[in-house]
């Protein structure tokens, strides 16, 4: 039985997480980018990882080679209200970060600057009030967030140009159910 969706190849998950120290990096690592296929790794809780994979690759309008922050998935799942129908995203992200840290897949561990982490950690429509040391304030929102995502996407594309991201071995098949995932972009009420 065919599903009524188009699967976009080469989509990448950007997950922010608790910072950790790594001897290979001069700054604490607070974000990891992996290929969406890594969510099908057998060490990732299933079927949760498989449903998140489908969210990354089946959402209408997703573009090949794009970097999708976890916060975007939250936005697409009605501001997080639909996560219980899809996955325990915290367990999935913890497993993915563990796999990445132990070389079980190709990953881009990063120490994102605070502003970048704030922008990609908020949804695609979030506007942040920034307070500066001199007492002034400014705002940063969707345009600045997209600029940071475009920069990260450029890094991923340069890395992938040397060879595809290895998602790990013995990947599982994504679940067929539900036939259509419960997307409902969040709207401010």
């Amino acid at each position: 039985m065919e599903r009524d969706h188009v699967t976009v190849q080469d989509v990448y998950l950007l997950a922010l997480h608790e910072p950790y120290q790594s001897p290979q990096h001069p700054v604490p690592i607070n974000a990891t980018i992996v290929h969406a296929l890594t969510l099908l790794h057998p060490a990732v809780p299933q079927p949760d990882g498989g449903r998140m994979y489908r969210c990354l690759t089946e959402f209408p309008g997703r573009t090949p080679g794009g970097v999708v922050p976890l916060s975007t998935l939250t936005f697409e799942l009605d501001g997080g209200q639909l996560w219980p129908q899809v996955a325990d995203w915290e367990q999935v992200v913890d497993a993915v970060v563990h796999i990445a840290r132990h070389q079980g897949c190709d990953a881009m561990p990063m120490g994102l600057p605070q502003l970048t982490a704030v922008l990609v950690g908020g949804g695609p429509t979030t506007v942040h009030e920034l307070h500066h040391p001199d007492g002034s304030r400014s705002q940063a929102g969707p345009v600045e967030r997209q600029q940071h995502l475009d920069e990260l996407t450029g890094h991923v594309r340069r890395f992938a140009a040397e060879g595809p991201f290895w998602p790990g071995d013995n990947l599982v098949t994504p679940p067929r159910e539900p036939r259509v995932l419960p997307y409902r972009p969040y709207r401010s009420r």
Side-chain angles (χ1 to χ4, degrees):
M1 180 178 194
E2 289 283 318
R3 284 181 272 178
D4 299 320
H5 66 268
V6 174
T7 300
V8 176
Q9 303 300 313
D10 294 325
V11 175
Y12 301 88
L13 172 67
L14 167 62
L16 296 174
H17 49 77
E18 286 296 317
Y20 66 85
Q21 298 291 331
S22 170
Q24 296 87 5
H25 300 279
V27 297
I29 302 303
N30 62 359
T32 301
I33 295 176
V34 296
H35 194 284
L37 286 169
T38 301
L39 294 166
L40 302 177
H41 193 287
V44 172
Q46 298 297 338
D48 294 31
R51 286 192 297 258
M52 285 177 66
Y53 165 81
R54 287 186 53 205
C55 287
L56 282 168
T57 61
E58 295 176 12
F59 188 79
R62 195 76 78 216
T63 57
V67 173
V68 181
L70 184 67
S71 62
T72 297
L73 293 182
T74 297
F75 174 83
E76 293 166 352
L77 293 170
D78 198 20
Q81 297 299 305
L82 298 173
W83 270 122
Q85 295 176 42
V86 175
D88 181 336
W89 65 266
E90 290 175 287
Q91 283 189 349
V92 170
V93 168
D94 286 347
V96 166
V97 171
H98 180 80
I99 293 163
R101 286 185 73 178
H102 294 91
Q103 290 77 46
C105 67
D106 281 343
M108 292 183 74
M110 296 174 291
L112 294 180
Q114 184 177 6
L115 178 59
T116 304
V118 165
L119 289 170
V120 300
T125 61
T126 303
V127 175
H128 300 274
E129 184 82 17
L130 306 176
H131 301 269
H132 304 285
D134 66 1
S136 64
R137 295 182 194 178
S138 63
Q139 290 187 335
V143 170
E144 293 81 6
R145 180 182 191 267
Q146 191 58 53
Q147 289 169 345
H148 287 274
L149 284 175
D150 290 346
E151 183 178 329
L152 292 170
T153 299
H155 292 308
V156 168
R157 287 188 177 149
R158 283 188 290 282
F159 181 86
E162 297 174 18
F165 270 62
W166 170 59
D169 293 327
N170 304 313
L171 303 181
V172 302
T173 302
R176 294 185 182 273
E177 295 299 325
R179 213 176 87 172
V180 177
L181 290 157
Y183 304 116
R184 187 176 311 136
Y186 174 79
R187 303 276 185 241
S188 298
R189 290 175 169 83

